[in-house]
Coordinates of all heavy atoms in Angstrom, one line a residue:
A17 N -18.0 4.9 -18.5 CA -18.3 4.5 -17.1 C -19.0 3.1 -17.1 O -19.6 2.7 -18.1 CB -19.2 5.6 -16.5
I18 N -19.0 2.5 -16.0 CA -19.7 1.2 -15.8 C -21.2 1.4 -16.0 O -21.8 2.4 -15.6 CB -19.4 0.5 -14.4 CG1 -19.9 -0.9 -14.4 CG2 -19.9 1.4 -13.3 CD1 -19.5 -1.7 -13.1
D19 N -21.8 0.4 -16.6 CA -23.3 0.5 -16.9 C -24.0 0.0 -15.6 O -23.9 -1.1 -15.2 CB -23.6 -0.5 -18.0 CG -25.1 -0.6 -18.2 OD1 -25.9 0.1 -17.5 OD2 -25.5 -1.5 -19.0
P20 N -24.7 0.9 -14.9 CA -25.3 0.5 -13.6 C -26.5 -0.5 -13.8 O -26.9 -1.1 -12.8 CB -25.9 1.9 -13.1 CG -26.0 2.8 -14.2 CD -24.9 2.3 -15.2
Q21 N -26.9 -0.7 -15.0 CA -27.9 -1.7 -15.3 C -27.3 -3.0 -15.8 O -27.9 -3.8 -16.5 CB -28.9 -1.2 -16.4 CG -29.5 0.1 -16.1 CD -30.3 0.1 -14.8 OE1 -30.9 -0.9 -14.4 NE2 -30.3 1.2 -14.1
F22 N -26.0 -3.2 -15.5 CA -25.3 -4.4 -16.1 C -25.9 -5.7 -15.8 O -25.9 -6.6 -16.7 CB -23.8 -4.4 -15.6 CG -23.7 -4.8 -14.2 CD1 -23.5 -6.1 -13.8 CD2 -23.6 -3.8 -13.2 CE1 -23.4 -6.4 -12.5 CE2 -23.5 -4.1 -11.8 CZ -23.4 -5.5 -11.5
H23 N -26.6 -5.8 -14.7 CA -27.2 -7.1 -14.4 C -28.4 -7.4 -15.3 O -28.8 -8.6 -15.4 CB -27.6 -7.3 -12.9 CG -27.9 -6.0 -12.2 ND1 -28.9 -5.2 -12.6 CD2 -27.2 -5.3 -11.3 CE1 -28.9 -4.1 -11.8 NE2 -27.9 -4.2 -11.0
E24 N -29.0 -6.4 -15.9 CA -30.0 -6.6 -16.9 C -29.4 -6.7 -18.3 O -30.0 -7.4 -19.1 CB -31.1 -5.5 -16.8 CG -32.0 -5.6 -15.6 CD -32.5 -4.3 -15.2 OE1 -32.7 -3.4 -16.0 OE2 -32.7 -4.1 -14.0
N25 N -28.4 -5.9 -18.6 CA -27.9 -5.8 -19.9 C -26.8 -6.9 -20.3 O -26.4 -7.0 -21.4 CB -27.3 -4.4 -20.2 CG -28.4 -3.4 -20.1 OD1 -29.6 -3.7 -20.3 ND2 -28.0 -2.2 -19.7
R26 N -26.3 -7.6 -19.2 CA -25.3 -8.6 -19.5 C -25.7 -9.9 -18.9 O -26.6 -10.0 -18.1 CB -23.9 -8.1 -18.8 CG -23.3 -6.9 -19.4 CD -22.1 -6.5 -18.6 NE -21.4 -5.3 -19.2 CZ -20.1 -5.3 -19.5 NH1 -19.4 -6.3 -19.3 NH2 -19.6 -4.2 -20.1
E27 N -24.9 -10.9 -19.2 CA -25.2 -12.2 -18.6 C -24.0 -12.7 -17.8 O -22.8 -12.4 -18.2 CB -25.4 -13.3 -19.7 CG -26.7 -12.9 -20.5 CD -27.2 -14.1 -21.3 OE1 -26.6 -15.2 -21.2 OE2 -28.3 -14.0 -21.9
Q28 N -24.3 -13.4 -16.7 CA -23.2 -13.9 -15.9 C -22.6 -15.1 -16.7 O -23.3 -16.0 -17.0 CB -23.7 -14.4 -14.5 CG -22.6 -14.9 -13.7 CD -23.0 -15.3 -12.3 OE1 -24.1 -15.0 -11.8 NE2 -22.1 -16.1 -11.6
V29 N -21.3 -15.0 -16.9 CA -20.7 -16.0 -17.8 C -19.7 -16.9 -17.0 O -19.2 -17.9 -17.5 CB -20.0 -15.4 -19.0 CG1 -21.0 -14.8 -19.9 CG2 -18.9 -14.4 -18.6
D30 N -19.4 -16.4 -15.7 CA -18.3 -17.2 -15.0 C -18.4 -16.8 -13.6 O -19.2 -15.9 -13.2 CB -17.0 -16.8 -15.6 CG -15.9 -17.8 -15.3 OD1 -16.2 -18.8 -14.6 OD2 -14.8 -17.7 -15.8
E31 N -17.5 -17.4 -12.8 CA -17.4 -17.0 -11.4 C -15.9 -16.9 -11.1 O -15.1 -17.6 -11.8 CB -17.9 -18.1 -10.4 CG -18.9 -17.5 -9.4 CD -19.5 -18.6 -8.6 OE1 -18.8 -19.2 -7.8 OE2 -20.7 -18.9 -8.7
H32 N -15.5 -16.0 -10.2 CA -14.1 -15.8 -9.9 C -14.0 -15.5 -8.4 O -14.5 -14.6 -7.9 CB -13.5 -14.6 -10.7 CG -12.1 -14.2 -10.4 ND1 -11.7 -13.0 -9.9 CD2 -11.0 -15.0 -10.5 CE1 -10.4 -13.0 -9.7 NE2 -10.0 -14.2 -10.0
E33 N -13.3 -16.4 -7.7 CA -13.0 -16.2 -6.3 C -14.4 -16.0 -5.5 O -14.4 -15.1 -4.6 CB -12.1 -15.1 -6.0 CG -10.7 -15.2 -6.7 CD -9.8 -16.3 -6.1 OE1 -10.0 -16.6 -4.9 OE2 -8.9 -16.8 -6.8
G34 N -15.4 -16.7 -5.9 CA -16.7 -16.6 -5.2 C -17.6 -15.5 -5.7 O -18.7 -15.3 -5.1
H35 N -17.2 -14.6 -6.6 CA -18.1 -13.6 -7.1 C -18.4 -13.8 -8.6 O -17.6 -14.5 -9.3 CB -17.6 -12.2 -6.8 CG -16.2 -11.9 -7.3 ND1 -15.1 -11.9 -6.5 CD2 -15.8 -11.6 -8.6 CE1 -14.1 -11.7 -7.2 NE2 -14.4 -11.5 -8.5
A36 N -19.4 -13.1 -9.1 CA -19.9 -13.3 -10.5 C -19.0 -12.6 -11.4 O -18.4 -11.5 -11.1 CB -21.3 -12.8 -10.6
V37 N -18.9 -13.1 -12.7 CA -18.3 -12.4 -13.8 C -19.3 -12.2 -14.9 O -19.9 -13.2 -15.3 CB -17.0 -13.1 -14.4 CG1 -16.4 -12.4 -15.5 CG2 -16.0 -13.4 -13.3
W38 N -19.6 -10.9 -15.3 CA -20.6 -10.6 -16.2 C -19.9 -10.3 -17.6 O -19.1 -9.4 -17.7 CB -21.4 -9.4 -15.7 CG -22.0 -9.6 -14.4 CD1 -21.4 -9.5 -13.2 CD2 -23.4 -10.0 -14.1 NE1 -22.3 -9.8 -12.2 CE2 -23.5 -10.1 -12.7 CE3 -24.5 -10.2 -15.0 CZ2 -24.7 -10.4 -12.1 CZ3 -25.7 -10.6 -14.4 CH2 -25.8 -10.7 -13.0
G39 N -20.3 -11.0 -18.6 CA -19.7 -10.9 -19.9 C -20.1 -9.7 -20.7 O -20.9 -8.9 -20.2
P40 N -19.6 -9.6 -21.9 CA -18.8 -10.6 -22.6 C -17.3 -10.6 -22.1 O -16.8 -9.6 -21.7 CB -18.9 -10.2 -24.1 CG -19.1 -8.8 -24.1 CD -20.0 -8.5 -22.8
V41 N -16.8 -11.8 -22.2 CA -15.3 -12.0 -21.8 C -14.6 -12.7 -23.0 O -15.1 -13.6 -23.6 CB -15.2 -12.9 -20.6 CG1 -13.7 -13.3 -20.4 CG2 -15.8 -12.2 -19.3
D42 N -13.5 -12.1 -23.4 CA -12.7 -12.6 -24.4 C -11.2 -12.3 -24.1 O -10.7 -11.3 -24.5 CB -13.1 -12.0 -25.8 CG -12.3 -12.6 -27.0 OD1 -11.7 -13.7 -26.8 OD2 -12.3 -12.1 -28.1
E43 N -10.7 -13.1 -23.2 CA -9.3 -12.8 -22.7 C -8.3 -12.9 -23.8 O -8.4 -13.7 -24.7 CB -9.0 -13.9 -21.6 CG -9.9 -13.7 -20.4 CD -9.6 -14.8 -19.3 OE1 -8.6 -15.5 -19.4 OE2 -10.4 -14.9 -18.4
P44 N -7.2 -12.1 -23.6 CA -7.0 -11.1 -22.5 C -7.5 -9.7 -22.7 O -7.4 -8.9 -21.8 CB -5.4 -11.1 -22.4 CG -5.0 -11.2 -23.9 CD -6.1 -12.1 -24.5
E45 N -8.1 -9.4 -23.9 CA -8.5 -8.0 -24.2 C -9.8 -7.6 -23.5 O -10.0 -6.4 -23.3 CB -8.6 -7.8 -25.7 CG -7.3 -8.0 -26.4 CD -7.0 -9.4 -26.9 OE1 -7.9 -10.3 -26.7 OE2 -6.0 -9.6 -27.5
E46 N -10.7 -8.6 -23.3 CA -12.0 -8.2 -22.8 C -12.3 -9.1 -21.6 O -12.4 -10.3 -21.7 CB -13.1 -8.5 -24.0 CG -14.4 -7.8 -23.7 CD -15.3 -8.0 -25.0 OE1 -15.2 -8.9 -25.8 OE2 -16.2 -7.1 -25.1
L47 N -12.5 -8.4 -20.5 CA -12.6 -9.1 -19.2 C -13.9 -9.0 -18.5 O -14.2 -9.7 -17.5 CB -11.5 -8.6 -18.3 CG -10.1 -8.8 -18.9 CD1 -9.0 -8.1 -17.9 CD2 -9.7 -10.3 -19.0
G48 N -14.8 -8.2 -18.9 CA -16.2 -8.1 -18.3 C -16.2 -7.4 -17.0 O -15.2 -6.6 -16.6
I49 N -17.2 -7.6 -16.2 CA -17.5 -6.9 -14.9 C -17.3 -8.0 -13.9 O -18.0 -9.1 -13.9 CB -18.9 -6.3 -14.9 CG1 -18.9 -5.1 -15.8 CG2 -19.2 -5.9 -13.5 CD1 -20.3 -4.4 -15.9
H50 N -16.5 -7.7 -12.8 CA -16.4 -8.6 -11.7 C -17.2 -8.1 -10.5 O -17.1 -6.9 -10.1 CB -14.9 -8.8 -11.3 CG -14.2 -9.7 -12.1 ND1 -13.4 -10.7 -11.7 CD2 -14.1 -9.7 -13.5 CE1 -12.8 -11.3 -12.7 NE2 -13.2 -10.8 -13.8
G51 N -18.0 -9.0 -9.9 CA -18.8 -8.7 -8.7 C -20.2 -8.3 -9.1 O -20.5 -8.0 -10.2
T52 N -21.1 -8.2 -8.0 CA -22.5 -7.9 -8.2 C -22.9 -6.7 -7.3 O -23.2 -5.7 -7.8 CB -23.4 -9.1 -8.0 OG1 -23.0 -10.1 -8.9 CG2 -24.8 -8.7 -8.3
H53 N -22.7 -6.9 -6.0 CA -23.0 -5.8 -5.1 C -22.0 -4.7 -5.2 O -22.3 -3.5 -5.3 CB -23.1 -6.3 -3.6 CG -23.4 -5.2 -2.7 ND1 -24.6 -4.6 -2.6 CD2 -22.6 -4.5 -1.9 CE1 -24.6 -3.6 -1.7 NE2 -23.4 -3.5 -1.3
V54 N -20.7 -5.1 -5.3 CA -19.6 -4.2 -5.6 C -19.1 -4.7 -7.0 O -18.5 -5.8 -7.1 CB -18.5 -4.2 -4.6 CG1 -17.4 -3.3 -5.0 CG2 -19.0 -3.9 -3.2
A55 N -19.4 -3.9 -8.0 CA -19.0 -4.4 -9.4 C -18.0 -3.5 -10.0 O -18.0 -2.2 -9.9 CB -20.3 -4.3 -10.3
V56 N -16.9 -4.1 -10.5 CA -15.8 -3.4 -11.2 C -15.8 -3.8 -12.6 O -15.6 -5.0 -12.9 CB -14.5 -3.7 -10.5 CG1 -13.3 -2.9 -11.2 CG2 -14.5 -3.4 -9.0
D57 N -15.9 -2.8 -13.5 CA -15.7 -3.1 -14.9 C -14.3 -3.1 -15.3 O -13.6 -2.1 -15.3 CB -16.4 -2.0 -15.8 CG -16.6 -2.4 -17.2 OD1 -15.7 -3.1 -17.7 OD2 -17.6 -2.0 -17.9
F58 N -13.8 -4.4 -15.4 CA -12.3 -4.6 -15.7 C -11.9 -3.9 -17.0 O -10.7 -3.7 -17.2 CB -12.0 -6.1 -15.7 CG -11.8 -6.7 -14.3 CD1 -12.3 -6.1 -13.2 CD2 -11.0 -7.8 -14.2 CE1 -12.0 -6.6 -11.9 CE2 -10.7 -8.4 -12.9 CZ -11.2 -7.8 -11.8
D59 N -12.8 -3.7 -17.9 CA -12.4 -3.2 -19.2 C -12.3 -1.6 -19.1 O -11.8 -1.0 -20.0 CB -13.4 -3.6 -20.3 CG -13.4 -5.1 -20.5 OD1 -12.3 -5.6 -20.6 OD2 -14.4 -5.7 -20.4
I60 N -12.7 -1.0 -18.0 CA -12.6 0.4 -17.8 C -11.5 0.7 -16.8 O -10.7 1.7 -16.9 CB -13.9 1.0 -17.3 CG1 -15.0 0.9 -18.4 CG2 -13.7 2.5 -16.9 CD1 -16.4 1.3 -18.0
C61 N -11.3 -0.2 -15.7 CA -10.3 0.0 -14.7 C -8.9 0.2 -15.3 O -8.5 -0.6 -16.1 CB -10.3 -1.2 -13.7 SG -9.0 -1.2 -12.5
L62 N -8.2 1.3 -14.9 CA -6.8 1.4 -15.4 C -5.8 1.4 -14.2 O -4.7 2.0 -14.3 CB -6.7 2.7 -16.2 CG -7.5 4.0 -15.8 CD1 -7.0 4.5 -14.5 CD2 -7.4 5.0 -16.9
A63 N -6.2 0.7 -13.1 CA -5.3 0.4 -12.0 C -4.9 1.7 -11.3 O -3.8 1.7 -10.8 CB -4.1 -0.4 -12.5
D64 N -5.8 2.6 -11.1 CA -5.5 3.8 -10.4 C -5.1 3.5 -8.9 O -4.2 4.1 -8.3 CB -6.7 4.8 -10.4 CG -6.5 6.0 -9.6 OD1 -5.8 6.9 -10.1 OD2 -6.9 6.0 -8.4
G65 N -5.9 2.6 -8.3 CA -5.6 2.1 -7.0 C -6.3 2.9 -5.8 O -6.2 2.5 -4.7
A66 N -7.0 4.0 -6.1 CA -7.6 4.7 -5.1 C -8.7 3.9 -4.3 O -8.8 4.0 -3.1 CB -8.3 6.0 -5.6
C67 N -9.3 3.0 -5.0 CA -10.3 2.2 -4.3 C -9.7 1.3 -3.3 O -10.2 1.1 -2.2 CB -11.1 1.4 -5.4 SG -10.1 0.3 -6.4
L68 N -8.6 0.7 -3.6 CA -7.9 -0.2 -2.7 C -7.4 0.6 -1.5 O -7.5 0.2 -0.3 CB -6.6 -0.8 -3.3 CG -6.9 -2.2 -4.1 CD1 -7.1 -1.9 -5.5 CD2 -5.8 -3.1 -3.8
E69 N -6.9 1.8 -1.7 CA -6.4 2.7 -0.6 C -7.5 3.1 0.3 O -7.3 3.2 1.5 CB -5.6 3.9 -1.2 CG -4.2 3.5 -1.7 CD -3.6 4.7 -2.4 OE1 -3.9 5.9 -2.0 OE2 -2.8 4.5 -3.3
D70 N -8.7 3.5 -0.3 CA -9.7 4.2 0.5 C -10.7 3.3 1.1 O -11.4 3.7 2.0 CB -10.4 5.2 -0.4 CG -9.4 6.4 -0.7 OD1 -8.3 6.4 -0.2 OD2 -9.8 7.3 -1.4
C71 N -11.0 2.1 0.6 CA -12.0 1.3 1.1 C -11.8 0.9 2.6 O -10.7 0.3 2.9 CB -12.2 0.0 0.3 SG -13.5 -1.1 1.0
P72 N -12.7 1.3 3.5 CA -12.4 1.1 4.9 C -12.4 -0.4 5.4 O -12.0 -0.7 6.5 CB -13.6 1.9 5.6 CG -14.6 2.0 4.6 CD -14.0 2.0 3.3
V73 N -13.0 -1.2 4.5 CA -13.1 -2.6 5.0 C -12.4 -3.6 4.0 O -12.6 -4.8 4.0 CB -14.6 -3.1 5.1 CG1 -15.2 -2.4 6.3 CG2 -15.4 -2.8 3.9
D74 N -11.5 -3.0 3.2 CA -10.6 -3.8 2.3 C -11.4 -4.8 1.4 O -11.1 -6.0 1.4 CB -9.6 -4.6 3.1 CG -8.6 -3.6 3.8 OD1 -8.4 -2.5 3.3 OD2 -8.0 -4.0 4.9
V75 N -12.3 -4.3 0.7 CA -13.1 -5.1 -0.2 C -12.2 -5.5 -1.4 O -12.4 -6.7 -1.9 CB -14.3 -4.4 -0.7 CG1 -14.9 -5.0 -2.0 CG2 -15.4 -4.4 0.4
F76 N -11.3 -4.7 -1.9 CA -10.6 -4.9 -3.1 C -9.2 -5.6 -2.9 O -8.5 -5.3 -2.0 CB -10.4 -3.6 -3.9 CG -11.7 -2.8 -4.1 CD1 -12.1 -1.8 -3.3 CD2 -12.5 -3.2 -5.2 CE1 -13.3 -1.1 -3.5 CE2 -13.7 -2.5 -5.4 CZ -14.1 -1.5 -4.6
E77 N -8.8 -6.4 -3.9 CA -7.5 -7.0 -4.0 C -7.0 -6.9 -5.4 O -7.8 -7.0 -6.4 CB -7.5 -8.4 -3.6 CG -7.8 -8.6 -2.1 CD -7.9 -10.1 -1.7 OE1 -7.6 -11.0 -2.5 OE2 -8.3 -10.3 -0.5
W78 N -5.7 -6.6 -5.6 CA -5.2 -6.6 -7.0 C -5.3 -8.0 -7.6 O -5.0 -9.0 -6.9 CB -3.8 -6.2 -7.0 CG -3.6 -4.7 -6.8 CD1 -2.8 -4.2 -5.8 CD2 -4.0 -3.6 -7.5 NE1 -2.8 -2.8 -5.9 CE2 -3.6 -2.4 -6.9 CE3 -4.9 -3.5 -8.7 CZ2 -3.9 -1.2 -7.4 CZ3 -5.2 -2.2 -9.1 CH2 -4.7 -1.1 -8.5
V79 N -5.6 -8.1 -8.9 CA -5.5 -9.3 -9.7 C -4.8 -9.0 -11.0 O -5.0 -7.9 -11.6 CB -6.9 -9.9 -9.9 CG1 -7.8 -9.0 -10.8 CG2 -6.8 -11.3 -10.5
D80 N -3.8 -9.8 -11.4 CA -3.1 -9.5 -12.6 C -3.8 -9.9 -13.8 O -4.5 -10.9 -13.9 CB -1.8 -10.4 -12.5 CG -0.8 -9.9 -11.5 OD1 -0.8 -8.6 -11.3 OD2 -0.1 -10.7 -10.9
T81 N -3.8 -9.0 -14.8 CA -4.5 -9.2 -16.1 C -3.6 -8.8 -17.2 O -3.8 -7.9 -18.0 CB -5.7 -8.2 -16.1 OG1 -5.3 -6.9 -15.9 CG2 -6.7 -8.6 -15.0
P82 N -2.5 -9.7 -17.4 CA -1.5 -9.4 -18.4 C -2.2 -9.4 -19.8 O -3.0 -10.2 -20.1 CB -0.6 -10.5 -18.3 CG -1.2 -11.6 -17.5 CD -2.2 -10.9 -16.6
G83 N -1.8 -8.4 -20.6 CA -2.3 -8.3 -22.0 C -3.6 -7.5 -22.1 O -4.1 -7.3 -23.3
H84 N -4.1 -7.0 -21.0 CA -5.3 -6.1 -21.2 C -4.9 -4.7 -21.6 O -4.0 -4.1 -21.1 CB -6.1 -6.0 -19.9 CG -7.5 -5.4 -20.1 ND1 -7.6 -4.0 -19.9 CD2 -8.7 -5.9 -20.5 CE1 -8.9 -3.7 -20.2 NE2 -9.5 -4.8 -20.6
P85 N -5.6 -4.1 -22.6 CA -5.2 -2.8 -23.1 C -5.2 -1.7 -22.1 O -4.4 -0.8 -22.3 CB -6.1 -2.6 -24.3 CG -7.2 -3.6 -24.2 CD -6.7 -4.7 -23.4
E86 N -6.0 -1.7 -21.1 CA -6.1 -0.5 -20.2 C -5.0 -0.6 -19.1 O -4.4 0.4 -18.7 CB -7.5 -0.4 -19.6 CG -8.6 0.1 -20.5 CD -8.3 1.5 -21.0 OE1 -7.6 2.3 -20.4 OE2 -8.9 1.8 -22.0
S87 N -4.8 -1.8 -18.5 CA -3.9 -2.0 -17.4 C -3.7 -3.5 -17.2 O -4.6 -4.3 -17.5 CB -4.4 -1.3 -16.2 OG -5.7 -1.9 -15.8
E88 N -2.5 -3.8 -16.6 CA -2.2 -5.2 -16.5 C -2.5 -5.7 -15.0 O -2.0 -6.7 -14.6 CB -0.7 -5.4 -16.9 CG -0.6 -5.1 -18.4 CD 0.5 -5.9 -19.1 OE1 1.5 -6.2 -18.5 OE2 0.2 -6.3 -20.2
R89 N -3.2 -4.9 -14.3 CA -3.8 -5.4 -13.0 C -5.1 -4.6 -12.8 O -5.3 -3.5 -13.3 CB -2.9 -5.3 -11.9 CG -2.5 -3.9 -11.5 CD -1.5 -4.0 -10.3 NE -1.2 -2.6 -9.8 CZ -0.6 -2.4 -8.6 NH1 -0.2 -3.4 -7.8 NH2 -0.3 -1.1 -8.3
K90 N -6.0 -5.3 -12.0 CA -7.4 -4.7 -11.8 C -7.7 -4.8 -10.3 O -7.2 -5.7 -9.6 CB -8.4 -5.5 -12.6 CG -8.1 -5.6 -14.1 CD -8.2 -4.3 -14.8 CE -7.8 -4.5 -16.3 NZ -7.8 -3.2 -17.0
A91 N -8.6 -4.0 -9.9 CA -9.1 -4.0 -8.5 C -10.3 -5.0 -8.5 O -11.4 -4.7 -9.0 CB -9.6 -2.6 -8.1
D92 N -10.0 -6.2 -7.9 CA -11.0 -7.2 -7.8 C -11.8 -7.1 -6.5 O -11.2 -7.0 -5.5 CB -10.3 -8.6 -7.9 CG -11.2 -9.7 -8.2 OD1 -12.1 -9.5 -9.0 OD2 -10.9 -10.8 -7.7
P93 N -13.2 -7.1 -6.6 CA -14.0 -7.0 -5.4 C -14.0 -8.3 -4.6 O -15.1 -8.9 -4.5 CB -15.4 -6.6 -5.9 CG -15.4 -7.2 -7.3 CD -14.0 -7.1 -7.8
A94 N -12.9 -8.7 -4.2 CA -12.7 -10.1 -3.6 C -13.5 -10.3 -2.3 O -14.0 -11.4 -2.1 CB -11.2 -10.3 -3.3
N95 N -13.8 -9.2 -1.6 CA -14.5 -9.3 -0.3 C -15.8 -8.5 -0.4 O -16.1 -7.7 0.5 CB -13.6 -8.9 0.8 CG -12.3 -9.6 0.8 OD1 -12.2 -10.8 0.8 ND2 -11.2 -8.8 0.8
E96 N -16.5 -8.6 -1.5 CA -17.7 -7.7 -1.7 C -18.7 -7.9 -0.6 O -19.5 -6.9 -0.3 CB -18.3 -7.9 -3.1 CG -19.0 -9.1 -3.3 CD -19.8 -9.2 -4.6 OE1 -20.0 -8.1 -5.3 OE2 -20.2 -10.3 -5.1
A97 N -18.8 -9.0 0.1 CA -19.8 -9.3 1.1 C -19.5 -8.4 2.3 O -20.5 -8.1 3.1 CB -19.8 -10.7 1.5
Q98 N -18.3 -7.8 2.5 CA -18.0 -7.0 3.6 C -18.3 -5.5 3.4 O -18.2 -4.7 4.3 CB -16.5 -7.1 3.9 CG -16.1 -8.5 4.4 CD -14.6 -8.6 4.6 OE1 -14.0 -7.7 4.9 NE2 -14.1 -9.8 4.5
C99 N -18.8 -5.2 2.2 CA -19.0 -3.8 1.8 C -20.1 -3.2 2.8 O -21.1 -3.8 3.1 CB -19.5 -3.7 0.4 SG -20.0 -2.1 -0.1
I100 N -19.8 -1.9 3.2 CA -20.7 -1.2 4.1 C -21.4 0.0 3.4 O -21.9 0.8 4.1 CB -20.0 -0.7 5.4 CG1 -18.8 0.2 5.0 CG2 -19.5 -1.9 6.3 CD1 -18.1 0.9 6.2
D101 N -21.3 -0.1 2.1 CA -22.0 0.9 1.3 C -21.6 2.4 1.5 O -22.5 3.3 1.5 CB -23.5 0.8 1.4 CG -24.0 -0.6 1.0 OD1 -23.3 -1.3 0.2 OD2 -25.2 -1.0 1.3
C102 N -20.4 2.6 1.8 CA -20.0 4.0 2.1 C -19.8 4.8 0.9 O -19.8 6.1 0.9 CB -18.6 4.0 2.9 SG -17.2 3.5 1.9
M103 N -19.7 4.2 -0.3 CA -19.6 4.8 -1.6 C -18.3 5.5 -1.9 O -18.2 6.2 -2.9 CB -20.8 5.7 -1.9 CG -22.2 5.1 -1.7 SD -22.3 3.5 -2.6 CE -23.2 4.1 -4.0
L104 N -17.3 5.4 -1.0 CA -16.0 6.0 -1.2 C -15.4 5.6 -2.5 O -14.9 6.4 -3.3 CB -15.1 5.7 -0.1 CG -14.9 6.8 1.0 CD1 -14.0 6.3 2.1 CD2 -14.4 8.1 0.4
C105 N -15.4 4.3 -2.8 CA -14.7 3.8 -4.0 C -15.4 4.4 -5.2 O -14.7 4.7 -6.2 CB -14.8 2.3 -4.0 SG -16.4 1.6 -4.0
V106 N -16.7 4.5 -5.2 CA -17.4 5.0 -6.4 C -17.0 6.5 -6.6 O -16.8 6.9 -7.8 CB -18.9 4.9 -6.2 CG1 -19.7 5.7 -7.3 CG2 -19.4 3.5 -6.1
D107 N -16.8 7.2 -5.5 CA -16.4 8.6 -5.6 C -15.0 8.8 -6.1 O -14.7 9.8 -6.8 CB -16.7 9.3 -4.3 CG -18.1 9.4 -3.9 OD1 -19.0 9.3 -4.9 OD2 -18.4 9.6 -2.8
V108 N -14.1 8.0 -5.7 CA -12.7 8.2 -5.9 C -12.2 7.6 -7.3 O -11.1 8.1 -7.8 CB -11.8 7.7 -4.8 CG1 -12.0 8.5 -3.5 CG2 -11.8 6.2 -4.6
C109 N -12.9 6.7 -7.8 CA -12.4 6.1 -9.1 C -12.4 7.1 -10.2 O -13.5 7.7 -10.5 CB -13.2 4.9 -9.5 SG -12.6 4.2 -11.1
P110 N -11.2 7.4 -10.8 CA -11.2 8.5 -11.8 C -11.9 8.2 -13.1 O -12.2 9.1 -13.9 CB -9.7 8.7 -12.0 CG -9.1 7.4 -11.7 CD -9.9 6.8 -10.6
V111 N -12.2 6.9 -13.3 CA -12.8 6.5 -14.6 C -14.2 5.9 -14.4 O -14.7 5.3 -15.3 CB -11.9 5.6 -15.4 CG1 -10.7 6.4 -16.0 CG2 -11.4 4.4 -14.6
D112 N -14.8 6.0 -13.2 CA -16.1 5.5 -12.9 C -16.2 4.0 -13.3 O -17.2 3.6 -14.0 CB -17.2 6.3 -13.6 CG -17.3 7.7 -13.0 OD1 -17.0 7.8 -11.8 OD2 -17.7 8.6 -13.7
A113 N -15.2 3.2 -12.9 CA -15.3 1.8 -13.2 C -16.1 1.0 -12.2 O -16.3 -0.2 -12.4 CB -13.8 1.3 -13.2
I114 N -16.5 1.6 -11.1 CA -17.1 0.9 -10.0 C -18.6 1.3 -9.8 O -18.9 2.4 -9.8 CB -16.4 1.1 -8.6 CG1 -14.9 0.8 -8.8 CG2 -17.0 0.2 -7.5 CD1 -14.1 1.2 -7.6
D115 N -19.5 0.2 -9.6 CA -20.9 0.5 -9.2 C -21.1 -0.3 -7.9 O -20.8 -1.5 -7.8 CB -21.8 -0.1 -10.3 CG -23.3 0.1 -10.0 OD1 -23.7 1.3 -10.0 OD2 -23.9 -0.9 -9.7
V116 N -21.7 0.4 -6.9 CA -22.1 -0.2 -5.7 C -23.6 -0.1 -5.6 O -24.1 1.0 -5.6 CB -21.4 0.4 -4.5 CG1 -22.0 -0.2 -3.2 CG2 -19.9 0.2 -4.5
D117 N -24.3 -1.2 -5.5 CA -25.7 -1.2 -5.4 C -26.1 -1.2 -4.0 O -26.3 -2.2 -3.3 CB -26.3 -2.5 -6.1 CG -27.8 -2.5 -6.1 OD1 -28.4 -1.5 -5.7 OD2 -28.4 -3.6 -6.4
A118 N -26.3 0.1 -3.5 CA -26.6 0.3 -2.1 C -28.1 0.2 -1.8 O -28.6 0.4 -0.7 CB -26.2 1.7 -1.6
G119 N -28.9 -0.3 -2.8 CA -30.3 -0.5 -2.7 C -31.1 0.8 -2.6 O -32.0 0.9 -1.9
Ligands
LIG24 FE1 -15.5 -0.3 0.2 FE2 -17.2 1.6 0.7 FE3 -16.7 0.8 -1.8 FE4 -18.1 -0.7 -0.2 S1 -18.8 1.3 -1.0 S2 -16.4 -1.4 -1.5 S3 -17.1 -0.3 1.8 S4 -15.3 1.8 -0.4
LIG25 FE1 -9.4 0.7 -11.0 FE2 -10.8 2.8 -10.4 FE3 -9.9 1.2 -8.5 S1 -9.3 2.6 -12.0 S2 -8.0 0.4 -9.3 S3 -11.4 0.7 -10.0 S4 -10.0 3.4 -8.4
LIG26 ZN1 -12.9 -11.2 -9.8

């Protein structure tokens, strides 16, 4: 599962489409965590897609990740600023790849 303390245990190493990327990153096998308020551990996500289907405000968008051992696309929290903290995505992800910091 994603480490809920990732902002303390990891360092921001990059930015992607306006959100943070928390390392370590070593493409294509190791991709880190995308987002901060809505954070998706790309190294755990296996492209189930439930988060994209269920998010009421369409926070997630597919991003292609060719060569990653778990899956070749990931749910990117492209619109994390729109999150309303409903926690649906956290509940439906079968591998607990998502952390939402609802404060
Ligand atoms: Fe979408 Fe709710 Fe998850 Fe926020 S907590 S990203 S609104 S499903
Ligand atoms: Fe990935 Fe979990 Fe969404 S596996 S696509 S973050 S439901
Ligand atoms: Zn991203």
Side-chain angles (χ1 to χ4, degrees):
I18 187 171
D19 173 9
Q21 308 298 330
F22 70 88
H23 27 65
E24 285 154 32
N25 296 335
R26 295 175 177 233
E27 296 200 357
Q28 183 179 344
V29 295
D30 202 356
E31 232 176 69
H32 177 238
E33 304 286 339
H35 54 260
V37 179
W38 303 81
V41 170
D42 184 14
E43 293 178 11
E45 293 90 1
E46 197 172 25
L47 300 174
I49 290 174
H50 281 230
T52 302
H53 180 73
V54 180
V56 180
D57 193 326
F58 274 24
D59 295 312
I60 296 174
C61 173
L62 38 65
D64 177 84
C67 58
L68 273 98
E69 282 173 29
D70 289 1
C71 178
V73 291
D74 294 332
V75 162
F76 304 98
E77 292 177 7
W78 288 121
V79 63
D80 289 327
T81 57
H84 190 269
E86 287 297 338
S87 59
E88 299 211 320
R89 63 180 184 168
K90 307 292 177 184
D92 196 34
N95 307 306
E96 71 173 347
Q98 296 177 24
C99 175
I100 57 170
D101 298 344
C102 73
M103 305 310 263
L104 260 178
C105 59
V106 173
D107 291 341
V108 295
C109 178
V111 288
D112 289 333
I114 307 173
D115 179 71
V116 174
D117 181 10

